[in-house]
Amino acid sequence: MAVIDGVLSQDQCRRLVWVARCLSVVGYRACVCSATIFDVVAACPELLLDVVAARQAVREAVEKALDRPLLVEFTGLVSWRPGSEIKWHHDANRPYLQQRAFSAVSYLNSSGHDFQGGTFRFQTGQPNQVHAVPGRVVAYSAQAVHCVEPITAGERFTLTLWFTEAPAHCEDAKVLARLTGSPQSQPGLPVSMWRLPDGTDLRLCRLAMAGFALVWQGRVLHGTEDCVEQGYSGLVPKLKLAVQPAVFRLWLCWQRATAGSSYCGPGGDPDTAAAPLTATAGAHEPLEPDGSLAAEIVKGAHFDGIQQAVLALQQLMQDRCWPCCSTRERVCEAHLFEGPTPQFPAPTCTWLRSCELRRHNSGAPAQPPITADELRVAVTASQAALAKKCAALQVLKPRWLDAGALFCDESCPSMLPV
Ligand SMILES: O=C(O)CCC(=O)C(=O)O
Ligand SMILES: [Fe+2]
């Protein structure tokens, strides 16, 4: 294991925190939100520049410290809110994670200052604990047992990289494929990954965050119910997809209930979080919707099971609107749906040149690194494709996107890299 300081600059950390705030969604574990590199590609490809530069700096620092070449298998920005923790575990503890060889967690903000708790501990060896300092990286074998103590206040941000030595599991080719629009199959996660112990189904939360709901037998589903989970083709009546602003408010309640006071809505005040939505997205609807409130059933959209519905919606939205639908991130959404076309700033091109996405080392297939021009073309193409898809998807646009109630954390850097 190694603790390396100063890998990322304060400014890089600040920008990554902002990217995480913009794009992260529920789905990893309770009270934790995360944005994978694919979420960044999907929602706002220009923000990839920050992520790729940081990812490369961390990879190089870890390769040097561990004295071996590494391939990135997973890149994620993670926001840990009060109530979150991970008990003793190692990072390759699932049959489908056996390719994972090393882990590197980069801290983006400070324990004791930006958040309380959240100490990282190793079960054996030295150092046995690591405190978060912006720019600090802790790297360790994926087999090393460690934990993160509960976060008790504030929000803890990390950039988590997992490394593999198996070229087939390297993430880079998939990132490039996404950027250039090549079809990319998404391996399904085991259903258990989507369920919280209280029965809350994170897929339904994601749907709700996007302003959609699944309706079955006239009522909105909140938790997974085995009868609809199975996805057997004989399911009658079928699940229906509804546009459901009231469910969105339910999600806010769930988020508040699980995250305590950490949920930071518009203006930063948890109690006012729902206000702009109430004003614009169905002020008269009671908090607990029933099936009759699923006002706009999207015509013809019915499914045999939750996973099928979620995947279909995801595909329908071309994987693109999906991750940018959390409440605090309407800046990005507006940017994507309604805002001016962002310009790709010239200075970043020079900067990009050093940021190869693709590795060519011993085991990996030899590929030339992506050039700034190639990435620029890919980004432009993906933005154009996005604009077209969004235009075609107006019918599915969640109502609350019309709210125009944009907000921005004052500590945010400007929307575009400079
Ligand atoms: O955030 C950290 O310090 C470690 C996170 C971790 O152990 C994990 O995501 O598996
Ligand atoms: Fe871990």
Side-chain angles (χ1 to χ4, degrees):
M1 55 192 76
V3 177
I4 320 162
D5 279 327
V7 176
L8 302 176
S9 69
Q10 291 272 352
D11 191 51
Q12 274 182 303
C13 293
R14 204 169 62 94
R15 296 167 74 96
L16 290 176
V17 165
W18 186 75
V19 175
R21 285 208 164 112
C22 282
L23 302 181
S24 58
V25 294
V26 293
Y28 175 37
R29 52 181 53 241
C31 308
V32 167
C33 287
S34 57
T36 69
I37 198 165
F38 297 106
D39 293 335
V40 179
V41 171
C44 225
E46 59 273 30
L47 297 183
L48 194 59
L49 302 180
D50 283 316
V51 179
V52 169
R55 176 185 189 263
Q56 180 167 328
V58 175
R59 179 174 55 72
E60 284 171 1
V62 174
E63 282 181 329
K64 198 165 153 209
L66 302 182
D67 194 23
R68 64 177 74 223
L70 294 168
L71 301 164
V72 180
E73 180 232 1
F74 173 93
T75 307
L77 289 162
V78 190
S79 128
W80 304 75
R81 299 166 184 204
S84 61
E85 64 176 317
I86 302 195
K87 298 193 191 299
W88 295 116
H89 70 286
H90 65 80
D91 291 346
N93 61 0
R94 295 276 185 280
Y96 54 86
L97 300 180
Q98 295 313 300
Q99 71 282 357
R100 193 164 279 180
F102 293 93
S103 311
V105 180
S106 309
Y107 297 103
L108 305 178
N109 62 355
S110 303
S111 59
H113 183 254
D114 300 307
F115 62 90
Q116 306 296 328
T119 302
F120 177 102
R121 290 188 189 279
F122 286 115
Q123 201 168 47
T124 55
Q126 287 298 327
N128 64 1
Q129 62 177 39
V130 182
H131 292 287
V133 171
R136 173 173 289 174
V137 172
V138 57
Y140 48 94
S141 154
Q143 302 293 333
V145 176
H146 58 280
C147 71
V148 177
E149 291 179 342
I151 283 75
T152 53
E155 196 165 355
R156 173 185 190 264
F157 287 96
T158 59
L159 169 69
T160 296
L161 298 185
W162 280 303
F163 297 108
T164 183
E165 290 171 321
H169 289 279
C170 177
E171 184 184 58
D172 294 4
K174 291 174 217 155
V175 173
L176 283 175
R178 282 293 170 97
L179 268 171
T180 50
S182 323
Q184 182 69 41
S185 61
Q186 278 265 46
L189 287 177
V191 165
S192 58
M193 291 275 296
W194 295 107
R195 283 187 195 173
L196 301 183
D198 70 355
T200 307
D201 188 306
L202 292 171
R203 294 165 301 173
L204 297 176
C205 293
R206 283 189 168 195
L207 275 177
M209 286 164 75
F212 295 96
L214 283 180
V215 176
W216 188 58
Q217 292 192 324
R219 66 197 169 83
V220 172
L221 292 178
H222 302 303
T224 300
E225 301 179 29
D226 285 337
C227 53
V228 291
E229 183 64 68
Q230 303 308 324
Y232 50 80
S233 55
L235 185 69
V236 177
K238 298 201 183 291
L239 294 172
K240 290 181 178 172
L241 182 64
V243 178
Q244 180 51 286
V247 177
F248 179 72
R249 275 182 281 143
L250 260 193
W251 177 80
L252 287 180
C253 295
W254 172 78
Q255 182 77 353
R256 282 193 212 147
T258 54
S261 61
S262 75
Y263 173 72
C264 181
D269 176 0
D271 292 331
T272 63
L277 300 165
T278 312
T280 56
H284 306 301
E285 286 153 352
L287 204 52
E288 279 292 342
D290 61 27
S292 63
L293 285 172
E296 294 174 40
I297 306 292
V298 179
K299 220 175 163 204
H302 47 243
F303 307 96
D304 289 330
I306 292 182
Q307 191 71 359
Q308 191 205 30
V310 171
L311 290 177
L313 181 65
Q314 201 165 354
Q315 201 179 353
L316 197 60
M317 299 175 94
Q318 301 294 343
D319 270 356
R320 293 194 176 272
C321 315
W322 192 254
C324 57
C325 289
S326 60
T327 47
R328 47 200 304 171
E329 285 55 70
R330 271 170 280 165
V331 176
C332 266
E333 284 156 8
H335 173 72
L336 283 173
F337 284 94
E338 294 156 325
T341 312
Q343 298 301 310
F344 203 80
T348 44
C349 295
T350 331
W351 185 54
L352 249 179
R353 216 155 283 142
S354 62
C355 299
E356 54 179 293
L357 256 178
R358 212 183 285 241
R359 292 298 319 280
H360 42 124
N361 65 22
S362 46
Q367 301 271 11
I370 187 168
T371 65
D373 280 347
E374 279 170 342
L375 186 54
R376 189 152 42 146
V377 168
V379 168
T380 311
S382 78
Q383 281 172 345
L386 171 63
K388 227 165 111 189
K389 285 161 191 164
C390 287
L393 285 168
Q394 286 304 308
V395 60
L396 288 177
K397 192 166 119 181
R399 279 189 215 152
W400 48 269
L401 280 182
D402 290 324
L406 303 184
F407 57 92
C408 186
D409 182 331
E410 275 166 17
S411 66
C412 291
S414 71
M415 182 67 201
L416 290 173
V418 285

